[in-house]
């Protein structure tokens, strides 16, 4: 065959001999050359090809028209000739490629749309049957690549067909059917996989085989006829053949692995265990690749949140691979692997272990990030290509020629192709970016769970001496768990950025150089020069933020203020402590101000550096394509430098965490201990406060570091490694769980109703349980917050009595109990119940009257055993000690001359008003439950605008307008700069006005700084105002607020909520305003450039609205759920630390470890769902942003081709369209975050509106006589008071007269109104009627601060504050050192204080933990003496101290306060009788017949006192 090639006008044509049958002629168009080939072969035409020929609507008689359609085209009559063979006809090969697609569509249609499409079969397809066949992910990847190549084939065919006079359907119709077949194949495969029925995969096997054969034939024929790699269609055909071959290989691999056909025994494979558990609802690891990438499985979850709130039941359980136990075991294995023969030093081994345990998914995340960053550079290049295509008139119509093969260069020169390529690149880039985020955060959450579990296991081995010596505090451990583990998690999230930054910088500079040439180096130099400044700002920002984290001092002072608020109000010291907190807050605000400054600089540089970079190259001759492509690249180049601060910040925090993995040992407190506890008998340990009694119990339990000696249980001397069994232990400070009363008593034991009732009766808990709203099913709160001290103590003892252990340790169980409760517990519980069961009991007590009941006595003194033996042995060996005991026992016997019958007059946990209205509330609440649910669902969909208004009002009238105006001005100027750049580069305006552009840029840089400063300063102002108002309100609030509100809730307003207002809301507000204004300006610019964009914007806006509507509700629920699950986790840590001795004594470590895993998994499942919801939103919003880019690009190109739109405006529109895709999801994310954060403002604002106490009086402080009250005379006239205006009176019609210098005792049962009487003297209660006159002045007329500053009071619970001893005695700093030493000497504390380093300046730890209970009470006595007031009130001050300390206290009161009026309140009549004998005065409070409390006042003269005493004792018998 001979043919002739002739060149005419850059076109290569082919001339053939006349006798050669011409079947098809194809021309190849390139930039400088074109080629053509003709292939022919004699062969018959098959029926399919004849059908395609008959389908042609063109006939030789029909004129050629562009609208003419034909499968092979109508502009060449030889297209259907097959004289040289069917396989040599290109159109036939394209038709042959249709056959596999038609086969698949028709073969799978019945199964897809009839089988699985029916409702009945859908019921059976549940995730419990899901199974991934071999090569699952590879199949999905190949299918996605196949779809992309088929789209390119369609685009190539359309572009090629554009050069023809008629339409050639065979160029793109087979590819369209191929896309439909590929989608059908993957849907078909998914349904087979989820139903686990692999035999139906035979249809796919046939399809891949046919498709591979047809594409291979076409590829070979192209190669035979000289079509090579320069022709795009050749490359596409080769790729398709390769992809179909790989998919065929995947299908064959499934057959070989699963053996479902051609093998006698198919392989039976079950779905993962997680999918068999219907409680597992986090399906991300188990869904297919497309659902993983788009989070499609979250659709139902997100939409259902709009109908009902999300709770733990909704989100279910974690998959096994994500549970805390699994990841802890993985981390422990990695740690063990690092413990080689030569251990590594420092923190290197920790990082190596973390890399070994969690390094693989992190590498995967980094890989995804690399791919996303590389795809990110496609956007600027496509924008540059589109603008170049428009500006260089490359869109001019070419001459219509015959069928063409085009090269890749010609294909990518088409503006529409670049628009589609930009769209696909954005989809892929966002998908890979979100995949990188997901993998990194999921790995971080796994790491956090593993670290938290490891810390808990370390706590279980922590020695309690470390806690008592202050080596490691509960706050430090909770901070380690809550904060530092989160820092590690977020470091893993930001770690891919650390690796991606060099790639972004290098690629950005190279692409800039390709666009700008040498001038690119100038702009890059500007960024590089500014990089050290950014690094400096980033490090300073990290350091400043680190300083803002040290809020512990303020929270410590606030916590002390709240816990001691009653004492502070009674002493009128609340303003002193408020000033102390405010001083700490001022230092904190200075740190926040520094942080805000560097944050402003960081935001400013991020916005200003691209402007400065473009400004430096603006004097060069810039085209629109170069200008806007370079601007996009500059933005990409600045991003990694901006992220440097976050990465450095997280790295620093992550490194800090390593300092908390080891704890030091404490100092010994016991020496020369040699004791023996007899089996099955009662052993008592006695001694003064601080002598080591409790330490002896702890040493026996193994809670102290053993320096020398041995501890042996059950006489097992032969086996030193013998571990003791469970010991029922009741600590001196009662430890309770945040659980029900029943759960605290049972303590995970098998319920035994008979024994449970017996223990309740022994501990006299039934009357207390009856007062609780849900009885013993009432949750008593953390540390038993709703119970009194005695009730907490009795529940702790009941737990020890209920257990079936052989050994029982009771550490001072009578300290918080009155006489009759102590006696009943001793006789019925210890002497009867425990002795009958032959249990070994070790009792630490100060109640010496019980010593005769002891089988063995151990006397402690100064950390050693003074003596031990029976009471008779000690009487003989230590007669002096025995005489001392007998004196104290005789005195205690006076208090217990008769056994008092117990009645339930204890103070109820809830007011009688509350109990009285419970039924009414329950009835009304039942009827309104449905309405409340509807109202709640309605409120969940609305934004809390009122809280936002509160936040803005706190900013003030100056900063708020500045904030709004600066934001609007900055973004308006940014748009003006870009418009100027667009017109300038398009040569619409003169180049001589370059100075105007420079001026606009300079002004824009200044406004960037002003805006960032305005946002941060507004946040600072709001933080200062809200915290100041909150602190002032709390200090001035009535005590009723603290009695009805858990202190933890109030403290959260100062900690978590204040931290959110300080650091999170300003950042969220700035990001929200910036994202919103950028998107609004972008939509405006695009609409200005192409008004048709507004039509396409409407459906996208509707989609955005519904996406954000559903997401905001789900996100808020998940954030609240994450917070609510974090609190039990932290509470479990604090409970474990506080009850560590009890837990280990009971041998319940494994139970508490299991509970920790449950709390950790609950918190992690909430975090995972929240993270998946964020990814769900971002994928959808970024996909919508990609559609915005596509629509804007197509509209701009069409507008430019039709109406000669300038290339500069096209580049401007595309640049802003990319901006929409970047910031659209941030609007919704920040809006959802702002909703949650404004909840903090709402809670703080609600507390600020608390009605304060009335501190004003009818008299001014100047009108109060100097030295008042001088005598201490108290007259009470018909007094009735109540705690709140909504409650009934607690005291009614009280009349009394206390003469100057009298010592008055007030006694009565718990809840009879004794403490209320004392509080009335300080105006802590609302006075209904009557008055209290002190030294002739009605106290209602005095200013509250003045009144309370004139009295002194000693409360039952001694309160000391962290600081010096001097500060605790005299916070007002009015007393001299001599006065302070005098007070300490009177309280018999001078030797103790002088022995301390620093004397008066010696430090007191938080709560006075470095002093014993008795010493703390004596310090309170010294504090009262320092004030020198003429009236002293003692409110059950001796209830929790030993008899020796009580003797000291009473002696001091009788001597040092001899000339002062002393009012003593006590449960015990004998305690008050000591004062009664001196003053001949007593008062007895009791309950009246119908609930209101009255007073039986017995104010007698000396002659009538004995009669009165007899009456008093008789009354107590009958009560």
């Amino acid at each position: 065959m001979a043919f002739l090639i002739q060149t005419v006008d850059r076109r290569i044509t082919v001339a053939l001999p006349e006798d050669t049958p011409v079947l098809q002629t194809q021309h190849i168009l390139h930039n400088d050359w074109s080629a053509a080939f003709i292939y022919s072969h004699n062969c018959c035409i098959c029926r399919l090809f004849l059908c395609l020929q008959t389908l042609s609507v063109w006939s030789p008689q029909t004129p050629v028209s562009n609208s003419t359609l034909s499968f092979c085209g109508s502009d060449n009559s030889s297209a259907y000739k097959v004289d040289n063979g069917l396989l040599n006809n290109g159109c036939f090969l394209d038709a042959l490629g249709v056959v596999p697609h038609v086969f698949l569509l028709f073969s799978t249609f019945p199964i897809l749309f009839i089988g699985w499409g029916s409702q009945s079969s859908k019921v059976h397809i549940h995730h419990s049957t899901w199974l991934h066949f071999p090569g699952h992910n590879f199949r999905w990847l190949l299918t996605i690549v196949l779809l992309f190549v088929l789209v390119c084939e369609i685009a190539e065919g359309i572009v090629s067909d554009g050069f023809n006079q008629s339409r050639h359907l065979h160029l793109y119709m087979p590819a369209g059917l191929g896309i439909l077949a590929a989608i059908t194949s993957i849907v078909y495969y998914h349904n087979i996989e989820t139903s686990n029925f692999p035999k139906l995969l035979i249809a796919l096997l046939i399809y891949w085989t046919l498709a591979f054969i047809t594409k291979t034939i076409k590829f070979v024929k192209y190669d035979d006829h000289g079509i090579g790699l320069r022709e795009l269609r050749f490359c596409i055909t080769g790729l398709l053949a390769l992809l179909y071959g790989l998919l065929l290989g995947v299908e064959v691999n499934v057959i070989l692995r699963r053996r479902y056909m051609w093998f006698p025994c198919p392989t039976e494979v079950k779905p993962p265990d997680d999918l068999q558990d219907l409680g597992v609802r986090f399906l991300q690891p188990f869904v297919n690749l497309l659902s993983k990438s788009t989070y499609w499985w979250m659709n139902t979850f997100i939409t259902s949140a709009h109908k009902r709130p999300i709770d733990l039941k909704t989100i279910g359980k974690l998959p096994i691979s994500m549970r805390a136990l699994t990841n802890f075991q993985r981390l422990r294995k990695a740690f063990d692997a690092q413990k080689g023969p030569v251990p590594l030093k420092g923190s290197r081994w920790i990082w190596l272990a973390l890399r070994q345990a969690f390094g693989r998914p992190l590498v995967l995340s980094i890989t995804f990030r690399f791919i996303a960053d590389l795809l990110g550079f496609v956007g600027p290049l496509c924008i540059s290509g589109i603008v170049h295509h428009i500006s260089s008139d490359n869109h001019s119509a070419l001459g219509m020629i015959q069928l063409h093969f085009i090269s890749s260069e010609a294909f990518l020169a088409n503006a529409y192709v670049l628009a589609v390529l930009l769209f696909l690149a954005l989809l892929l880039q966002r998908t890979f970016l979100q995949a990188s985020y997901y993998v990194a955060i999921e790995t971080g959450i796994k790491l956090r769970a593993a670290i938290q579990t490891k810390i808990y296991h370390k706590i279980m081995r922590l020695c309690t001496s470390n806690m008592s010596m202050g080596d490691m505090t509960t706050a430090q451990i909770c901070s380690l768990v809550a904060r530092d583990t989160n820092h590690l998690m977020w470091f893993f999230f930001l770690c891919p950025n650390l690796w991606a930054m060099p790639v972004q910088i290098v690629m950005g500079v190279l692409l800039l150089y390709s666009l700008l040439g040498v001038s690119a180096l100038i702009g890059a130099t500007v960024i590089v020069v500014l990089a050290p400044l950014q690094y400096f700002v980033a490090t300073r920002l990290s350091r400043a933020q680190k300083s803002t984290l040290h809020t512990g001092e303020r929270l410590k002072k606030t916590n002390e203020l709240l816990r001691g608020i009653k004492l502070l109000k009674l002493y009128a010291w609340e303003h002193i402590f408020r000033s102390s907190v405010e001083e700490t807050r001022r230092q904190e605000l200075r740190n926040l101000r520094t942080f805000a400054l560097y944050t402003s600089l960081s935001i400013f540089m991020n916005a200003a550096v691209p402007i400065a970079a473009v400004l430096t190259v603006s004097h060069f001759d810039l085209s629109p394509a170069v200008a806007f492509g370079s601007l996009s690249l500059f933005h990409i180049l600045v991003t990694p430098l901006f992220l440097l601060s976050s990465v450095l910040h997280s790295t620093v925090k992550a490194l800090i965490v390593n300092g908390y993995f080891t704890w030091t040992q404490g100092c010994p407190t016991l020496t020369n201990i040699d004791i023996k506890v007899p089996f099955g008998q009662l052993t008592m340990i006695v001694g003064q406060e601080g002598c080591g009694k409790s330490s002896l119990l702890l040493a026996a339990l193994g809670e102290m570091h053993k320096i020398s000696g041995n501890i042996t249980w059950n006489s097992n001397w032969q086996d030193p490694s013998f571990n003791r069994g469970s010991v029922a232990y009741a600590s001196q400070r009662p430890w309770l769980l945040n659980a029900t009363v029943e759960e605290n008593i049972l303590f995970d034991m098998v319920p035994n109703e008979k024994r449970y009732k017996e223990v309740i009766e022994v501990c006299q808990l039934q009357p207390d349980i009856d007062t609780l709203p849900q009885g013993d099913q009432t949750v008593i709160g953390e540390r038993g917050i709703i119970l009194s001290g005695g009730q907490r103590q009795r529940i702790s003892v009941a737990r020890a009595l209920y257990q079936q252990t052989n050994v029982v340790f009771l550490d001072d169980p009578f300290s918080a109990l009155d006489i009759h409760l102590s006696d009943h517990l001793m006789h019925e519980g210890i002497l009867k119940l425990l002795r009958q069961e032959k249990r070994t009991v070790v009792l630490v007590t100060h109640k010496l009257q019980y010593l005769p009941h002891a089988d063995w006595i151990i006397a402690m003194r100064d950390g050693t055993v003074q003596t031990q033996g029976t009471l008779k042995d000690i009487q003989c060996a230590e007669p002096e000690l025995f005489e001392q005991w007998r004196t104290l026992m005789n005195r205690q016997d006076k208090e217990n001359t008769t056994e008092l019958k117990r009645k339930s007059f204890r103070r109820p946990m809830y007011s009688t008003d509350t109990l009285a209205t419970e039924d009414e509330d329950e009835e009304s609440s039942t009827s309104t439950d449905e309405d409340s649910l509807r109202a709640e669902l309605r409120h969940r969909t609305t934004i809390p605008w009122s809280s936002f208004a509160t936040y803005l009002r706190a900013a003030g009238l100056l900063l708020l307008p500045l904030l709004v105006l600066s934001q609007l001005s900055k973004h308006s100027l940014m748009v003006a700069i870009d418009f100027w750049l667009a017109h300038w580069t398009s040569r619409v305006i003169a180049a001589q006005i370059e100075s105007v552009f420079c001026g606009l840029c300079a002004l824009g840089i200044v406004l960037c700084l002003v805006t960032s400063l305005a946002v941060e300063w507004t946040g600072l102002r709001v933080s200062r105002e809200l915290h100041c108002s909150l602190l002032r309100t709390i200090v001035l609030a009535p005590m009723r607020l603290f009695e009805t509100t858990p202190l933890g809730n109030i403290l959260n307003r100062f900690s978590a909520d204040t931290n959110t207002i300080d650091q999170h809301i300003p950042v969220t507000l700035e990001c929200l305003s910036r994202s919103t204004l950028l998107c609004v300006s972008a939509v405006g610019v695009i609409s200005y450039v192409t008004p048709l964009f507004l039509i396409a914007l409407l459906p996208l806006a509707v989609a955005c609205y519904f996406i954000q509507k559903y997401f905001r509700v789900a996100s808020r629920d998940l954030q609240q759920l994450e917070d609510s699950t974090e609190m039990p986790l932290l509470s479990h840590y604090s409970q474990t630390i506080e009850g560590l001795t009890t837990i280990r004594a009971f041998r319940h470590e494994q139970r508490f470890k299991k509970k920790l895993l449950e709390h950790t998994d609950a918190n992690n499942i909430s975090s995972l769902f929240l993270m998946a919801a964020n990814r769900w939103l971002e994928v959808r919003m970024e996909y919508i942003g990609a559609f915005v880019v596509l629509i804007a690009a197509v509209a701009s190109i069409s507008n430019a081709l039709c109406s000669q739109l300038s290339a500069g405006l096209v580049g401007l529109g595309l640049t802003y369209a990319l901006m929409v895709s970047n910031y659209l999801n941030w609007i919704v994310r920040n809006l959802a975050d702002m909703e949650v954060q404004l909840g903090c403002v709402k809670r703080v604002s609600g507390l600020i509106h608390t009605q304060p106490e009335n501190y004003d009086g009818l008299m001014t402080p100047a009108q109060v006589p100097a030295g008042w009250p001088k005598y201490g005379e108290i007259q009470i006239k018909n007094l009735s008071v109540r705690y709140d205006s909504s409650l009934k009176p607690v005291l009614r019609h009280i009349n009394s007269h206390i003469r100057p210098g009298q010592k008055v005792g007030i006694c009565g049962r718990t809840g009879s109104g004794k403490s209320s009487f004392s509080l009335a003297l300080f105006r802590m209660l609302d006075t209904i009627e009557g008055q209290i006159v002190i030294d002739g002045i009605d106290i209602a007329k005095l200013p509250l601060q003045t009144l309370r500053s004139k009295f002194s009071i000693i409360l039952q619970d001694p309160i000391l504050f962290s600081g010096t001893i001097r500060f605790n005695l005299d916070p007002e700093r009015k007393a001299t050192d001599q006065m302070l030493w005098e007070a300490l000497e009177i309280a018999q504390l001078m030797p103790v204080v002088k022995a301390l380093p620093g004397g008066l300046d010696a430090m007191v730890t938080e709560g006075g933990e470095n002093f014993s209970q008795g010493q703390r009470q004596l310090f309170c006595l010294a504090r009262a003496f320092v004030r020198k007031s003429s009236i002293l009130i003692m409110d059950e001050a001796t209830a929790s101290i030993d008899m020796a300390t009580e003797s000291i206290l009473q002696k001091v009161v009788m001597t040092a306060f001899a000339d002062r009026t002393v009012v003593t309140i006590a449960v015990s009549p004998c305690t008050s009788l000591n004062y009664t004998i001196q003053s001949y005065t007593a008062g007895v409070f009791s309950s009246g017949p119908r609930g209101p409390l009255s007073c039986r006042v017995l104010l007698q003269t000396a002659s009538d006192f004995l009669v009165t005493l007899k009456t008093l004792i008789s009354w107590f018998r009958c009560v």
Side-chain angles (χ1 to χ4, degrees), residues 79-275:
Y80 296 99
K81 295 181 180 181
V82 290
D83 297 342
N84 294 321
L86 282 174
L87 296 181
N88 287 322
N89 188 292
C91 186
F92 175 77
L93 291 177
D94 292 333
L96 189 63
V98 175
V99 175
H101 309 324
V102 173
F103 163 77
L104 182 68
L105 293 175
F106 279 96
S107 62
T108 58
F109 177 81
I111 299 175
L112 282 178
F113 298 99
I114 298 177
W116 282 294
S118 65
Q119 289 294 330
S120 59
S121 57
K122 281 184 180 179
V123 176
H124 302 290
I125 301 180
H126 189 268
H127 68 252
S128 60
T129 64
W130 290 1
L131 186 68
H132 287 177
F133 293 155
H136 168 87
N137 289 333
F138 189 52
R139 181 196 296 267
W140 275 93
L141 284 174
L142 290 176
T143 305
I144 293 172
V145 175
L146 175 64
L147 290 171
F148 175 75
V149 175
L150 289 172
V151 170
C152 292
E153 186 179 20
I154 291 178
E156 190 271 345
I158 293 174
V159 174
S160 300
D161 198 31
F163 296 105
N164 300 291
Q165 294 178 347
S166 66
R167 303 282 70 84
H168 292 246
L169 296 180
H170 72 99
L171 295 179
Y172 44 84
M173 192 184 81
L177 288 175
I179 290 177
L180 184 59
I183 294 174
T184 303
S185 71
I186 202 64
V187 173
Y188 180 75
Y189 167 77
H190 171 70
N191 282 273
I192 291 175
E193 196 177 46
T194 53
S195 60
N196 194 12
F197 198 69
K199 292 184 178 181
L200 292 177
L201 289 176
I202 186 65
L204 292 181
L205 178 65
I206 298 173
Y207 171 67
W208 301 132
T209 304
L210 293 176
F212 173 70
I213 293 173
T214 56
K215 288 301 177 183
T216 303
I217 292 173
K218 185 175 181 180
F219 180 76
V220 171
K221 288 300 178 180
Y222 279 175
D223 183 66
D224 290 344
H225 290 85
I227 302 176
L229 295 175
R230 296 184 61 85
E231 285 75 37
L232 181 61
R233 194 177 307 168
F234 176 83
C235 300
I236 291 176
T237 304
L239 283 175
L240 288 175
L242 177 63
L243 291 171
Y244 284 130
L246 291 174
L247 286 167
L248 176 60
V250 171
E251 213 63 69
V252 173
N253 180 55
V254 174
I255 295 176
L256 295 177
R257 297 278 298 275
R258 292 296 304 274
R259 306 166 67 94
Y260 66 86
M261 58 185 303
W262 304 318
F263 290 95
C265 299
T267 303
E268 293 293 335
V269 181
K270 293 183 179 181
D273 294 336
D274 290 320
L275 296 181

Side-chain angles (χ1 to χ4, degrees), residues 762 801 824-835:
V762 165
L801 297 182
H824 190 276
L825 179 60
M826 182 67 193
H827 290 91
E828 298 297 326
I830 298 175
L831 299 180
K832 184 178 179 181
L833 179 64
L834 296 181
R835 273 191 172 177

Side-chain angles (χ1 to χ4, degrees), residues 1289-1311:
V1290 291
L1291 294 177
R1292 176 174 292 180
H1293 308 305
I1294 301 298
N1295 291 278
S1296 179
H1297 181 208
I1298 301 175
R1299 291 185 292 274
Q1302 277 191 316
K1303 310 298 181 289
V1304 180
I1306 300 177
C1307 56
R1309 304 299 296 272
T1310 303

Side-chain angles (χ1 to χ4, degrees), residues 1031-1049:
L1031 183 61
R1032 186 186 306 113
T1033 301
I1034 290 299
V1035 166
L1036 301 180
M1039 278 303 299
R1040 181 67 179 169
L1041 173 69
F1042 306 98
E1043 293 169 351
T1044 57
T1045 307
L1047 293 185
N1049 292 355

Side-chain angles (χ1 to χ4, degrees), residues 1028-1069:
C1028 184
S1029 301
L1030 177 63
L1031 183 61
R1032 186 186 306 113
T1033 301
I1034 290 299
V1035 166
L1036 301 180
M1039 278 303 299
R1040 181 67 179 169
L1041 173 69
F1042 306 98
E1043 293 169 351
T1044 57
T1045 307
L1047 293 185
N1049 292 355
I1050 301 177
L1051 189 61
N1052 275 337
R1053 305 294 84 80
F1054 287 95
S1055 56
D1057 290 348
T1058 299
N1059 180 65
T1060 299
I1061 295 171
D1062 288 347
Q1063 299 190 31
H1064 297 288
I1065 292 184
V1067 176
T1068 305
L1069 180 62

Side-chain angles (χ1 to χ4, degrees), residues 1375-1404:
T1376 62
D1377 285 4
Q1378 182 180 356
M1379 297 171 61
L1380 297 180
W1381 284 116
E1382 181 186 0
L1384 291 173
E1385 183 178 9
I1386 289 175
Q1388 300 188 18
L1389 287 172
M1390 181 180 287
V1392 177
V1393 176
K1394 282 189 174 182
L1396 296 175
L1400 290 174
D1401 294 322
M1403 296 303 298
V1404 179

Side-chain angles (χ1 to χ4, degrees), residues 1457-1516:
F1457 293 84
D1459 58 340
R1460 308 186 193 183
T1461 302
V1462 179
V1463 179
T1464 301
I1465 297 170
V1467 175
S1468 164
C1470 293
T1471 301
S1472 61
L1473 288 180
N1474 289 295
Y1475 310 114
T1476 306
I1477 293 173
Q1478 299 293 328
S1479 62
Y1480 314 109
T1481 305
V1484 180
F1485 281 82
S1486 66
S1487 294
R1490 291 183 296 176
L1493 298 172
S1494 59
C1495 177
R1496 301 181 184 179
V1497 182
L1498 306 173
L1499 301 176
Q1500 306 291 339
T1501 62
S1503 58
D1504 296 332
F1505 175 71
L1506 293 177
V1507 179
T1508 302
L1509 179 59
K1510 185 176 180 180
T1511 306
L1512 182 61
I1513 298 298
S1514 302
W1515 178 84
F1516 262 93

Side-chain angles (χ1 to χ4, degrees), residues 212 331 349 503 609 641 688 976 1017 1168 1242 1499:
F212 173 70
L331 182 64
W349 71 277
V503 176
V609 168
L641 298 176
Q688 291 186 347
W1017 252 248
L1168 282 169
K1242 182 178 181 180
L1499 301 176

